[in-house]
């Protein structure tokens, strides 16, 4: 490597020297000395070119060496990483090995305990075998004695002992027979009690059937259902200037609604929301509550009853806010349709007013018509309450559903859904029922509460 800079220094020195010689030796270019000097310059150039090529080769070699070094460093990095991972695995293996050692030690201890238990059991078995052998010898001795007694006439003392034993055995036999008789008598008594229980169950079933018959609508005075011609078109109060329907009735008379189902309405001053519209009597009613099979739990909180819950195509409560947004537009009619467990249907209709949130959505009713005795207080403001907002009353907590309560022993159409076989007054008191003030409970299978504008001339 030191030869290269020396030759590189010699080349510029040699070239100017030759040039000076040529400058001062003009006219003598063909002399042997001049030829010798040019030959030396050629050799220097050849040597310089060789050195340059050698430098380029060394440079390429250095680059290759750097690449190989980088590869080696990369492989060393991979090796270090693999070695680190291997160290971690080795540590884990050591930990597992330590756990195995501890487990092995515990197993050895358990093995020692089992071995000790086995030895104790063997000793006990040997003791049992010895006892068995002794018992067998005693049995053989008794057999010999019995054989001798059968051959030899027993003495008077032995005869007395045998008689005493015989009397004892007979007494035991008599006691056993008495016990068997007592057991047979008890068995007969148990059979009799079982039959009495079966008779009581039959009577209870009969009583439940009677209760179902008594708590059904059979025998009640029925009113004729309103005929379609009795329902008149409402006034313009239920129509919106912007074309949006204020309730199901307005939607029906715009021609948009033909069949019962879920539709969108937008009462005055309210956002649009979905409701279930039921088409009947030549108009459409807005359904605010429906229960059919008990699939939905109506024991909800105040927020749930305020905003609504359930499926509009199944069981649901529309929500106090939505009901209020509809009814505050004008006067409305409230229709309640009931069905008992025998399939009998009844209805009752009220004119009503519903207060806003500041009055806890108080309800005030006035009965208009129906085919069942009234069970809701009239001309009285009834605030709505739920199990988490019972104001001075435990009725919602006891009756398991939000409602317009005034007293605990009255109608609750949002109560717990129960079947007629539910025994006990407490369950019925918490259930879905219609209870007039001076009447009996009507156990209900399904309910439906609907509203309709009352700006009509008649509706009965």
């Amino acid at each position: 490597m030191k030869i290269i800079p020396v030759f590189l220094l010699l080349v510029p020195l040699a070239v100017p020297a030759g040039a000076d010689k040529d400058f001062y030796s003009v006219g003598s270019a063909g002399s042997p000395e001049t030829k010798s000097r040019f030959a030396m310059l050629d050799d220097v150039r050849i040597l310089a070119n060789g050195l340059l090529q050698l430098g380029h080769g060394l440079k390429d070699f250095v680059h290759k060496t750097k690449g190989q070094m980088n590869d080696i460093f990369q492989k060393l990095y991979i090796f270090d990483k693999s070695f680190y991972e291997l160290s971690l695995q080795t540590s884990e293996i050591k930990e597992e090995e330590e756990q195995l050692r501890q487990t092995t030690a515990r197993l050895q201890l358990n093995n020692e305990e089992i071995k000790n238990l086995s030895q104790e059991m063997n000793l006990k078995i040997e003791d049992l075998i010895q006892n068995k052998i002794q018992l067998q010898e005693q049995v053989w001795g008794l057999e010999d004695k019995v054989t001798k007694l059968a051959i030899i006439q027993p003495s008077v003392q032995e005869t007395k002992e045998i008689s005493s034993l015989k009397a004892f055995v007979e007494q035991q036999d008599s006691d056993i027979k008495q016990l068997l008789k007592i057991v047979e008598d008890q068995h007969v008594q148990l059979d009799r009690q079982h039959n009495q229980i079966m008779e009581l169950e039959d009577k209870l079933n009969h009583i439940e059937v009677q209760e179902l018959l008594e708590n059904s609508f059979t025998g009640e005075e029925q009113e004729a259902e309103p005929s379609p011609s009795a329902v008149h078109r409402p006034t313009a109060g239920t129509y919106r200037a912007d074309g949006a329907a204020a309730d199901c009735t307005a939607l029906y008379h715009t021609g948009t609604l033909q069949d019962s189902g879920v539709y969108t309405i937008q009462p005055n001053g309210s956002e649009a929301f979905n409701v279930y519209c039921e088409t009947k009597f030549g108009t459409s009613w807005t359904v605010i509550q429906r229960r059919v099979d008990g699939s939905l739990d109506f024991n909800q909180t105040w927020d749930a009853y305020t905003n609504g819950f359930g499926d509009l195509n199944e069981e649901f409560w529309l929500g106090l806010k939505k009901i209020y947004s509809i009814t505050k537009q004008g006067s409305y009619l409230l229709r309640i349709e009931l069905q008992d467990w025998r399939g009998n249907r009844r209805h009752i209709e009220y004119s009503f007013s519903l207060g806003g949130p500041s009055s806890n959505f108080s309800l005030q009713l006035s009965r208009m018509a129906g085919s069942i005795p009234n069970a809701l207080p009239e001309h009285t403001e009834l605030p709505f309450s739920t199990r988490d907002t019972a104001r001075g009353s435990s009725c919602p907590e006891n009756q398991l559903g939000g409602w317009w309560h005034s007293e605990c022993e009255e109608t609750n159409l949002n109560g717990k859904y129960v079947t007629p076989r539910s025994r006990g007054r407490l369950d019925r008191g918490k259930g879905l029922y219609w209870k007039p003030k001076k009447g009996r409970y009507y156990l209900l299978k399904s309910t439906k509460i609907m509203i309709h504008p009352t700006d009509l001339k008649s509706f009965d």
Side-chain angles (χ1 to χ4, degrees):
M1 296 294 290
K2 293 181 179 180
I3 298 173
I4 296 172
V6 173
F7 276 108
L8 291 175
L9 291 172
L10 289 176
V11 170
L13 293 174
V15 172
D20 292 338
K21 290 291 181 177
D22 290 339
F23 179 76
Y24 290 106
S25 303
V26 176
S28 61
S31 65
E33 185 179 355
T34 302
K35 291 180 181 181
S36 175
R37 189 178 301 154
F38 284 136
M40 289 177 62
L41 288 173
D42 291 337
D43 293 338
V44 169
R45 290 192 185 96
I46 292 169
L47 180 60
N49 290 331
L51 291 173
L52 286 173
Q53 291 178 0
L54 178 62
H56 288 303
L58 290 173
K59 185 177 180 181
D60 294 337
F61 176 75
V62 169
H63 284 302
K64 290 180 181 179
T65 304
K66 284 183 178 180
Q68 292 175 356
M69 292 293 290
N70 290 332
D71 292 339
I72 291 170
F73 286 143
Q74 186 69 22
K75 291 178 180 178
L76 286 172
Y77 172 74
I78 295 171
F79 175 78
D80 290 340
K81 186 177 180 181
S82 301
F83 182 77
Y84 176 71
E85 292 176 354
L86 184 61
S87 300
L88 293 178
Q89 293 178 359
T90 303
S91 299
E92 293 177 356
I93 291 171
K94 286 182 179 179
E95 291 177 358
E96 292 178 355
E97 183 179 358
E98 183 62 27
Q99 292 177 357
L100 287 174
R101 285 178 181 174
Q102 294 176 0
T103 304
T104 304
R106 287 196 297 269
L107 289 174
Q108 287 177 351
L109 291 174
N110 293 334
N111 190 22
E112 291 294 332
E113 292 178 356
I114 292 170
K115 206 178 281 187
N116 294 331
L117 290 173
S118 177
Q119 291 177 356
E120 291 178 1
M121 290 179 66
N122 289 331
L123 292 174
K124 290 181 179 179
I125 290 170
E126 291 178 356
D127 293 338
L128 289 172
I129 292 171
Q130 293 294 330
N131 292 332
K132 182 182 177 182
I133 293 171
Q134 292 176 1
L135 288 173
Q136 286 179 346
E137 292 176 351
Q138 292 176 1
V139 169
W140 291 338
L142 289 173
E143 288 179 352
D144 293 338
K145 289 181 180 180
V146 170
T147 304
K148 291 177 180 179
L149 287 173
I151 297 172
I152 303 171
Q153 188 67 26
S155 62
V156 177
Q157 183 66 29
E158 291 174 346
T159 303
K160 289 181 179 179
E161 292 178 357
I162 292 171
S163 300
S164 177
L165 288 172
K166 185 177 179 181
F168 178 75
V169 171
E170 289 176 352
Q171 182 64 36
Q172 290 291 327
D173 184 62
S174 177
D175 293 340
I176 290 171
K177 288 180 179 179
Q178 289 179 0
L179 288 174
L180 287 174
K181 189 175 183 306
I182 292 171
V183 170
E184 289 177 358
D185 293 339
Q186 290 179 350
H187 182 71
V188 171
Q189 290 178 1
L190 287 174
D191 288 339
R192 189 180 299 111
Q193 290 176 356
H194 178 72
N195 293 331
Q196 290 176 354
I197 290 170
M198 295 296 292
E199 291 176 0
L200 288 174
E201 287 182 352
D202 292 338
K203 288 180 180 179
L204 285 173
N205 291 331
H206 180 70
I207 290 171
E208 288 177 358
V209 173
Q210 291 298 322
E211 285 184 352
L212 177 58
L213 292 173
E214 291 175 359
N215 296 330
S216 66
F217 299 131
T218 305
E220 294 293 336
E221 180 184 356
Q222 297 191 37
E223 290 186 5
E225 293 285 346
S227 60
S229 60
V231 181
H232 300 277
R233 296 174 64 90
T235 63
T238 57
Y239 293 97
R240 292 279 300 279
D242 57 2
D247 55 19
C248 292
T249 307
L251 193 63
Y252 178 84
H253 290 289
T254 61
T256 305
L257 187 155
Q258 297 295 330
D259 300 321
S260 299
V262 178
Y263 296 89
T264 302
I265 64 170
Q266 187 175 5
N268 289 322
S270 172
E271 296 181 354
F273 54 86
N274 291 337
V275 294
Y276 188 89
C277 300
E278 179 152 333
T279 302
K280 62 193 312 181
F281 314 136
T283 184
S284 184
W285 298 68
T286 305
V287 182
I288 65 173
Q289 185 255 37
R290 180 167 60 191
R291 305 190 71 178
V292 291
D293 56 9
S295 58
L296 179 63
D297 182 12
F298 272 68
N299 190 24
Q300 301 286 338
T301 62
W302 175 264
D303 291 337
Y305 271 100
T306 302
N307 300 313
F309 54 89
D311 184 351
L312 291 175
N313 288 306
E314 301 294 338
E315 294 194 331
F316 69 92
W317 173 261
L318 182 60
L320 294 168
K321 284 184 178 179
K322 296 175 183 176
I323 299 171
Y324 176 68
S325 69
I326 298 172
T327 58
K328 72 179 182 180
Q329 301 176 114
S331 299
Y332 275 79
L333 176 75
L334 180 73
R335 178 181 174 90
I336 300 175
E337 295 185 351
L338 309 172
Q339 181 185 9
D340 64 16
W341 285 89
R342 290 174 59 85
N344 299 307
R345 298 178 184 273
R346 295 291 184 273
H347 74 280
I348 192 167
E349 296 161 359
Y350 300 91
S351 62
F352 78 104
S353 63
L354 182 68
S358 60
S359 66
N360 297 323
F361 300 99
S362 295
L363 178 70
Q364 190 166 356
L365 299 169
S366 177
R367 185 179 187 273
M368 294 180 62
S371 58
I372 189 173
N374 182 33
L376 296 174
E378 297 184 75
H379 311 293
T380 303
E381 288 192 359
L382 306 174
F384 197 91
S385 56
T386 58
R387 58 181 170 87
D388 59 335
T389 59
R391 295 168 177 83
S393 171
S394 62
C395 292
E397 180 180 355
N398 290 339
Q399 294 177 332
L400 303 180
W403 189 249
W404 290 281
H405 293 282
S406 64
E407 297 178 4
C408 290
E409 287 294 324
E410 61 176 356
T411 294
N412 180 11
L413 299 185
N414 288 336
K416 181 180 178 181
Y417 194 92
V418 293
T419 62
R421 292 189 62 83
S422 297
R423 298 191 177 113
R425 177 184 170 85
L426 180 61
D427 286 339
R428 289 198 300 271
K430 292 183 178 180
L432 180 63
Y433 60 89
W434 182 266
K435 173 65 172 63
K437 189 70 174 179
K438 295 182 180 180
R440 59 177 180 269
Y441 287 91
Y442 294 94
L443 302 180
L444 303 176
K445 182 179 181 181
S446 65
T447 66
K448 188 185 298 177
I449 305 177
M450 307 181 294
I451 58 176
H452 189 281
T454 58
D455 47 0
L456 311 170
K457 293 182 179 179
S458 65
F459 196 91
D460 50 14

